[in-house]
Amino acid sequence: MRTIPALVREMEQERAKLDVLDLPQGERSVRAALNCSVRVLGDEARLLLWQLAVHPGPTASWEAVMDLGRAAGEGARTDLALMELLEANLVERHGERYGLHDLVRAFARQHARPGPDVVQLVLQ
């Protein structure tokens, strides 16, 4: 089990990874590019991206990804959300597994958090 100070250090390290790649001209920033990609996602794809970012493993099987989507509720279309993430190049397919690049994971943990209504739905 991780301690809170360890989680804070981990988040600071993730933020530093993104800061290193920010150029003074904001439009050339990795953070700006990822923000553009995430901003156009549908709600289910954004939620799935965040779920994959906080998932403990580096990759997840198709079944595990579908289980993550079931947390969003009965009518969730996790398969379509995953396809949307693949088409946006935010999720990588490694054989039969799906994962996030370290920079996408760091960005999604901080900036793709679901809103309070989605969190409430997941916790029900």
Side-chain angles (χ1 to χ4, degrees):
M1 182 185 236
R2 294 189 224 163
T3 63
I4 291 183
L7 288 172
V8 169
R9 280 192 304 277
E10 183 180 324
M11 290 178 73
E12 288 171 348
Q13 291 169 350
E14 285 182 350
R15 189 172 296 122
K17 285 180 191 175
L18 291 171
D19 289 343
V20 168
L21 295 174
D22 275 343
L23 300 175
Q25 310 84 358
E27 67 276 357
R28 294 187 188 165
S29 147
V30 169
R31 184 175 289 139
L34 289 171
N35 188 47
C36 288
S37 295
V38 170
R39 195 173 46 218
V40 298
L41 293 175
D43 291 340
E44 287 185 22
R46 182 186 292 252
L47 174 59
L48 184 59
L49 177 64
W50 179 80
Q51 289 172 315
L52 288 168
V54 298
H55 183 270
T59 63
S61 67
W62 170 265
E63 292 81 12
V65 173
M66 294 304 112
D67 284 344
L68 288 173
R70 284 189 196 100
E74 185 65 33
R77 291 299 315 259
T78 308
D79 54 339
L80 296 178
L82 180 59
M83 292 304 121
E84 186 176 347
L85 293 173
L86 286 165
E87 289 173 4
N89 295 310
L90 293 168
V91 169
E92 302 170 339
R93 186 171 180 192
H94 305 281
E96 297 298 315
R97 302 187 66 79
Y98 301 87
L100 302 176
H101 186 278
D102 288 344
L103 291 174
V104 173
R105 181 180 301 275
F107 181 86
R109 281 184 179 176
Q110 295 175 23
H111 301 287
R113 289 187 187 128
D117 53 335
V118 175
V119 171
Q120 183 180 30
L121 176 66
V122 171
L123 294 177
Q124 290 179 350

